[in-house]
Amino acid sequence: MAVTDALQDALAGEHAVIWGYGVVGAEVTEEQRPDVRAAEQAHRTRRDATADLLRSMAAVPAQAQAYYELPFPVTDPTSGLRLAVHLEQGAAAAWRYVLGQTDDAELRRTALGALTDAALQATRWRLAAGTHPATVAFPGQ
Amino acid sequence: MGTPLPRRRVLLAVATAAGALGLASACTGSSTPIIPTSAAPTAPDPLLAVLEERAGLVEAYAAAGRQHPQLLPRLQPLRTQTEEQVMALRLALALPERTPASTALGTTGTTGASGTSGTSGATTSPTATAVPVEPAVTLSGLRAAVRASGSAAAAVCATTTAERAPLVGSLAAAAACHELLLS
C-alpha cells in the first residue's frame, strides 16, 4: 500500500471521527460538551492538514461520507464517552499504520503527532468515564 | 484507490478498521523482524536503547511502589503495561524471552533509565533507604523518566525501519499517556 493510500485512510478516519463527535456531543453532559468540542476541533485541524498534505502529493483528498454506522447504540453519556474512546482509538490505529508505510522522517513525525494526540485524548476520555486502566500498552494497535 | 467506500465506513464501525485491514501486517511485522547479523558489529541497534529505557522504567516503578505502597494502585497498571512493552521490544529485537518477574523484584543490575533519580535508590531493602522521599518527588522523577523514554522512542520512530516504526511510535504515544497519568 502506498503511503498516499495510508494517508487517505487516515483522512477518511478523521472524517469519521468528526462525524462521530457530533453524536458524542449530543449525548454527553453539559459539563463535558466543551471538551468534546475541543477534541472535535483538533480533528478538524488534523483533517485539513492531512487534506493539504495529500494535495501536495498530487492526490485528491478523500471526501467525508454523509453517514457512518455506529459500532454500538449511543444513547446516554456513558455510551457517548465509550464512543469517544472508540473514535480516538480508530484515529490512533490509522495514524499508527501510516508510520509503517513511509521512510520519510518528517511524515513519520506528523503521523506520530497524530497518533500521540489520539492516544492522549482516548486516555482523557477513559479518565472521564472512570475506565481503569485509562491507558493501553500499545496505542493504535 | 480502488477500495474506498466499505473501508471508510468500517473505521467508525470497528475501532481498528484501518488496523484490521492494514495494521495487522504492520503489527505482526513489527514483532518478528530478524536483525541482519552483518549490522550487529558496527553500531548498537537503536532499539536496544529504547528497550533499556523501558526496562529501567519497570524497575523504577517497582522501587517507587516499595517506597510508597500507597502509590501502588496508580503505578501498578503503568508498570504492567511497561512490562508488556519490554516483552514486545525483546521480540522485535529477536532477544530470548525473559520473565518480567525477574525484573519486577528489582534484583537485576539493569538500570537503563538513569534519569530516574530519587526512585532507583530503594532496591532491595526498604530499611536501607537513608533519605525519605516525598511521594510527589517520586512521581516527578517517574514522570521525567517516562518523558525521556518517550522522547527516545519518538526519535527512533522517525528514522527506524518501516517495519519497526509502528511499534516504536506506539511506545512513544504510550509514554505520553503514562506521563499524563503520573501528573
Side-chain angles (χ1 to χ4, degrees):
Chain A
M1 192 193 221
V3 67
T4 47
D5 289 341
L7 282 170
Q8 292 282 21
D9 274 357
L11 175 59
E14 295 296 341
H15 285 312
V17 169
I18 291 162
W19 186 91
Y21 267 124
V23 177
V24 173
E27 297 297 341
V28 294
T29 64
E30 197 60 48
E31 300 79 59
Q32 290 165 335
R33 220 152 273 162
D35 291 339
V36 173
R37 273 196 291 271
E40 180 184 340
Q41 186 52 49
H43 284 283
R44 285 185 185 279
T45 303
R46 184 81 62 194
R47 174 202 61 188
D48 294 345
T50 308
D52 286 346
L53 182 59
L54 278 160
R55 278 188 210 99
S56 76
M57 299 165 87
V60 178
Q63 296 295 306
Q65 305 293 316
Y67 179 79
Y68 296 84
E69 211 173 306
L70 289 173
F72 45 80
V74 180
T75 54
D76 54 18
T78 303
S79 51
L81 286 180
R82 208 175 131 217
L83 177 60
V85 172
H86 183 91
L87 294 172
E88 295 294 350
Q89 286 182 157
W95 284 107
R96 183 187 191 271
Y97 181 65
V98 173
L99 286 175
Q101 297 302 310
T102 180
D103 288 325
D104 183 271
E106 196 50 44
L107 185 50
R108 288 257 184 95
R109 285 188 198 98
T110 299
L112 179 58
L115 163 59
T116 303
D117 286 350
L120 278 168
Q121 191 56 55
T123 301
R124 291 188 198 101
W125 291 135
R126 288 192 202 94
L127 285 171
T131 306
H132 191 77
T135 54
V136 295
F138 305 99
Q141 184 169 301
Chain B
M1 291 285 290
T3 50
L5 288 183
R7 191 173 221 166
R8 286 175 201 159
R9 285 171 186 262
V10 189
L11 194 125
L12 191 64
V14 183
T16 52
L21 295 176
L23 256 186
S25 59
C27 295
T28 53
S30 63
S31 60
T32 53
I34 307 295
I35 308 163
T37 46
S38 58
T42 48
D45 190 322
L47 207 56
L48 270 174
V50 177
L51 168 64
E52 282 177 15
E53 292 232 27
R54 296 285 151 145
L57 279 179
V58 170
E59 297 209 12
Y61 281 126
R66 281 193 297 271
Q67 234 177 349
H68 306 291
Q70 72 273 28
L71 293 179
L72 275 174
R74 196 167 163 192
L75 300 183
Q76 187 59 47
L78 304 184
R79 178 179 151 187
T80 302
Q81 290 180 0
T82 309
E83 284 172 345
E84 290 175 38
Q85 294 165 353
V86 167
M87 284 190 276
L89 283 164
R90 294 184 69 85
L91 265 174
L93 283 158
L95 295 173
E97 280 189 48
R98 198 175 56 175
T99 57
S102 61
T103 51
L105 292 172
T107 52
T108 68
T110 312
T111 46
S114 52
T116 54
S117 56
T119 57
S120 58
T123 48
T124 51
S125 171
T127 53
T129 309
V131 183
V133 179
E134 291 295 317
V137 175
T138 298
L139 283 174
S140 160
L142 284 172
R143 235 178 5 250
V146 168
R147 190 182 309 129
S149 161
S151 300
V156 172
C157 179
T159 54
T160 190
T161 63
E163 202 167 31
R164 288 173 167 185
L167 170 65
V168 186
S170 250
L171 298 185
C177 297
H178 283 193
E179 191 186 338
L180 176 69
L181 292 194
L182 289 167
S183 300

